[in-house]
Amino acid sequence: MKSPAITLLCIAGLLAACTTPVSLTTTSNEHYDACNAAELKGQLGEAELACVQALRTAEKAGASAEILSQRQYNLGRIKRLQGKNTEAEALYRQALATEESAEPRSDARVGRRLVELASALSAQGKWQEGSGYLERALPLLPKLSPASRTYSAEVLRQYAKQLQGGPQAALGQRFAAVAAGLP
């Protein structure tokens, strides 16, 4: 018969093994996959829960800046799709800051986060603030995937239309020209 102290030590060891960075990273990846699957099915509430868990477990695991940025970005995207633009804005800001501090830094990911942040800001009527982020994204747009360039062109067109006739009309014209040139 085992002594209670040995049994408790075994249980404590098993619990510690369940919370190692490797197991937390695996769990984060599983939640990440569940988030994407739920989003594809249009189940945004379920996707939000899975994305929150993916981010939390990645943080607990001490994941790389690249992984944290992706988790923040994905949750922000789900929040934007749900119309929770203030929450999306905060997550995009986090994802952008995380990505900009990453080694190595990915210009494509920085560009996408800038465009998404501009999109979340426009949904809140913060066109002037968003235009600064969108302008920062311009030199990075060629590095984006074709799908991301298509999305970026749409955001640029929205900003161009909004900025017509105002103090930022020249910037709006520039956005329209860049949008027209994106494949």
Side-chain angles (χ1 to χ4, degrees):
M1 178 177 265
K2 294 181 182 178
S3 73
I6 293 174
T7 304
L8 285 175
L9 286 174
C10 290
I11 291 171
L14 288 172
L15 289 175
C18 290
T19 59
T20 63
V22 171
S23 67
L24 287 172
T25 300
T26 300
T27 301
S28 178
N29 291 339
E30 291 168 355
H31 289 300
Y32 174 81
D33 292 341
C35 173
N36 290 333
E39 180 186 1
L40 288 173
K41 293 177 189 173
Q43 299 168 336
L44 297 180
E46 186 178 316
E48 179 183 13
L49 292 174
C51 278
V52 166
Q53 288 303 315
L55 176 56
R56 285 184 184 156
T57 53
E59 290 170 341
K60 287 180 188 175
S64 69
E66 179 182 346
I67 290 173
L68 288 174
S69 173
Q70 189 62 47
R71 301 300 192 261
Q72 293 160 340
Y73 169 81
N74 284 353
L75 180 54
R77 192 182 68 248
I78 296 300
K79 297 281 191 178
R80 182 181 54 77
L81 290 171
Q82 292 175 312
K84 299 176 181 178
N85 291 299
T86 303
E87 293 174 50
E89 174 191 345
L91 286 158
Y92 288 144
R93 286 183 190 279
Q94 287 177 343
L96 177 61
T98 302
E99 193 61 51
E100 288 180 324
S101 70
E103 289 295 328
R105 174 186 148 149
S106 165
D107 286 344
R109 288 192 298 266
V110 168
R112 181 61 192 224
R113 280 140 184 79
L114 287 166
V115 171
E116 287 285 6
L117 179 53
S119 179
L121 289 166
S122 71
Q124 299 171 71
K126 299 177 182 179
W127 295 95
Q128 185 172 359
E129 183 180 358
S131 65
Y133 289 104
L134 198 54
E135 188 172 23
R136 281 181 54 199
L138 293 178
L140 305 175
L141 295 178
K143 298 181 181 199
L144 273 56
S145 70
S148 291
R149 284 194 306 270
T150 299
Y151 176 76
S152 298
E154 180 56 35
V155 174
L156 285 163
R157 282 190 286 277
Q158 290 173 359
Y159 269 84
K161 184 177 179 181
Q162 184 65 32
L163 298 177
Q164 286 178 0
Q168 293 183 300
L171 182 58
Q173 290 173 345
R174 184 172 170 210
F175 287 165
V178 171
L182 285 175

